[in-house]
Amino acid sequence: MNTIRFLDLRKQYESIKADIDAAIAQTLESCNFIGGPAVLKFEKEFATFQHASHCIGVGNGTDAIEIALGALELEPDAEVIVPANSFIASSEAVRTAGLNVIFCAIDPATGLLDLTDARAKITTKTKVILPVHLYGQSCDMDSIMTLAQEFGLMVVEDCAQAHGAEWRGRRVGTFGICGTFSFYPGKNLGAYGDGGAVVTNDDALAHRIRMIANHGRTEKYNHEFEGRNSRLDALQAAILSAKLKYLESWTNRRAEIAEVYRRELSGIADLTLPVINLGARHVFHLFVVRTSRRDELQSHLKQAGIETGIHYPIALTRLKAYKVTNQTTASDDLNEQIISLPIGEHLSDSEVSRITHEVKCFFGT
Ligand SMILES: Cc1ncc(COP(=O)(O)O)c(C=O)c1O
């Protein structure tokens, strides 16, 4: 019995090997490794894909958040509201940008930022809301933008898991002042190393982000301020351009699998399926279900040769890195109950059936 992989980058590479190998060979031939045509081409393609005016390639998705926040030029005591269930990068980048993180609760049905709690966390120091389009599902961007406007806040969208996701037909990352992306290899659009980007419709912000990411300059040795070095390299850009062509079909396959999971696994008493917001195009980076018997289910699936994940086992507020004691985020239960089933274009129909069969067997249905 073969193992069903949670992620299978080898299988993906083999399916598009000719494109990838050609993209790499072309970049090597060009000897343009930093910046140059491959980077400009990908930035243009990804901006078009996201329906944004600008895309600035950066070193990774964490830098994308940090640089975007830095470009807003906020006071050092400014507060940024971050949902308590995310990868640490969402909050880490706020702190490395020299700003204060204020965690807010999440809606257990979707795993996304809870707007009521976000509102309650706003103080006179709050300057930014940082919604995370977690698991590939868009947050309710109408409500977030309304809340932000009411309090004069900026919105920086963490789209690391949401390439191509939409809210009411509009791509995520284009509602707030900017959106940040990760191209970590396992993402829906992943490089073969680290990579990230910021998209924005704001010309001045785009210019500043590009300068920060490239030592505070636009010309070779004319530095207007001290920036840093965080650039998307040309090999990664060429690989991303080659993969971008397949992203829509891969996303459709993810949605197809999600549909099978929803159909086959509905009605199991102790298994809660993810709620999809009306108006959201979910790109299913992850398919996260909940059960009070999470650990047992995970070992049952492991025994049956099915890999799973947990995103995330510990709420950000409970991490040693933060040890937040005075901010209630009420996501602990959730972190103990969630489990991510495999999803992605690497799965065959029979593998998806094997997964639903094993989950049903576990619950005795
Ligand atoms: C929600 C979220 N934000 C930010 C990041 C950071 O991206 P990177 O790993 O490219 O720095 C990730 C990546 O894992 C993520 O999942």
Side-chain angles (χ1 to χ4, degrees):
M1 183 185 54
N2 68 316
T3 297
I4 299 182
R5 306 284 309 275
F6 190 72
L7 174 72
D8 197 338
L9 291 177
R10 172 165 295 283
K11 195 166 173 188
Q12 188 192 67
Y13 169 58
E14 280 164 2
S15 74
I16 55 168
K17 191 174 184 312
D19 289 15
I20 297 289
D21 292 357
I24 292 175
Q26 211 177 349
T27 314
L28 296 184
E29 281 300 325
S30 81
C31 283
N32 271 307
F33 297 117
I34 303 290
V39 175
L40 291 174
K41 179 171 176 282
F42 174 69
E43 287 179 338
K44 201 163 163 230
E45 288 169 352
F46 196 64
T48 305
F49 175 79
Q50 280 300 131
H51 306 287
S53 319
H54 303 275
C55 165
I56 304 102
V58 296
N60 54 67
T62 312
D63 283 3
I65 304 171
E66 188 184 323
I67 292 169
L69 290 169
L72 300 178
E73 302 186 285
L74 303 167
E75 296 294 324
D77 67 345
E79 293 178 353
V80 180
I81 294 180
V82 179
N85 189 34
S86 185
F87 179 59
I88 190 172
S90 307
S91 47
E92 186 183 49
V94 173
R95 305 254 298 173
T96 51
L99 306 169
N100 291 323
V101 175
I102 302 296
F103 287 109
C104 97
I106 52 136
D107 173 355
T110 58
L112 303 173
L113 167 144
D114 176 321
L115 266 150
T116 311
D117 195 51
R119 174 181 283 273
K121 296 280 161 62
I122 294 172
T123 71
T124 50
K125 290 182 181 166
T126 309
K127 297 292 175 238
V128 177
I129 304 181
L130 197 140
V132 181
H133 302 297
L134 200 70
Y135 307 149
Q137 169 156 229
S138 169
C139 298
D140 172 350
M141 289 314 296
D142 292 329
S143 306
I144 289 175
M145 294 314 292
T146 304
L147 181 67
Q149 270 148 24
E150 187 181 333
F151 291 92
L153 311 178
M154 284 183 281
V155 174
V156 173
E157 301 173 59
D158 182 344
C159 313
Q161 302 186 2
H163 314 73
E166 293 174 359
W167 178 251
R168 296 196 198 287
R170 182 167 152 190
R171 291 281 209 249
V172 297
T174 61
F175 291 85
I177 182 103
C178 62
T180 62
F181 287 84
S182 163
F183 303 122
Y184 180 81
K187 294 291 192 258
N188 287 22
L189 179 63
Y192 287 176
D194 276 312
V198 185
V199 301
T200 181
N201 289 321
D202 184 311
D203 298 348
L205 188 72
H207 183 67
R208 192 158 176 85
I209 287 170
R210 197 172 282 289
M211 288 181 75
I212 293 175
N214 191 20
H215 299 294
R217 68 182 165 186
T218 48
E219 290 163 42
K220 192 154 190 184
Y221 292 120
N222 189 2
H223 306 266
E224 288 180 32
F225 55 85
E226 284 178 339
R228 58 191 285 181
N229 178 355
S230 180
R231 301 175 294 223
L232 179 65
D233 79 61
L235 272 168
Q236 300 308 338
I239 289 163
L240 288 166
S241 278
K243 289 177 90 176
L244 184 58
K245 294 198 286 275
Y246 296 95
L247 184 57
E248 276 302 301
S249 72
W250 290 340
T251 302
N252 292 338
R253 176 65 183 150
R254 284 174 184 273
E256 220 171 77
I257 295 168
E259 205 38 55
V260 175
Y261 283 157
R262 300 183 72 74
R263 193 177 61 233
E264 293 294 320
L265 302 178
S266 65
I268 299 175
D270 189 12
L271 187 78
T272 308
L273 298 175
V275 166
I276 300 171
N277 279 331
L278 216 68
R281 181 198 186 206
H282 196 321
V283 295
F284 294 104
H285 174 58
L286 296 167
F287 192 91
V288 178
V289 297
R290 281 172 65 193
T291 171
S292 65
R293 299 170 65 200
R294 192 267 308 279
D295 294 347
E296 286 171 73
L297 174 62
Q298 188 168 42
S299 35
H300 174 85
L301 293 175
K302 191 174 173 196
Q303 294 273 314
I306 299 167
E307 294 180 351
T308 56
I310 297 175
H311 302 89
Y312 294 90
I314 307 171
L316 293 176
T317 39
R318 299 287 179 245
L319 290 175
K320 233 186 205 170
Y322 297 105
K323 291 194 214 114
V324 178
T325 50
N326 59 346
Q327 293 178 23
T328 46
T329 55
S331 68
D332 292 358
D333 276 2
L334 190 88
N335 297 97
E336 284 161 15
Q337 294 178 355
I338 48 184
I339 175 165
S340 310
L341 301 179
I343 196 161
E345 84 290 342
H346 65 288
L347 298 174
S348 66
D349 287 349
S350 66
E351 286 176 321
V352 175
S353 299
R354 211 174 107 199
I355 295 165
T356 56
H357 171 78
E358 286 299 337
V359 172
K360 287 199 260 190
C361 273
F362 173 78
F363 286 106
T365 60

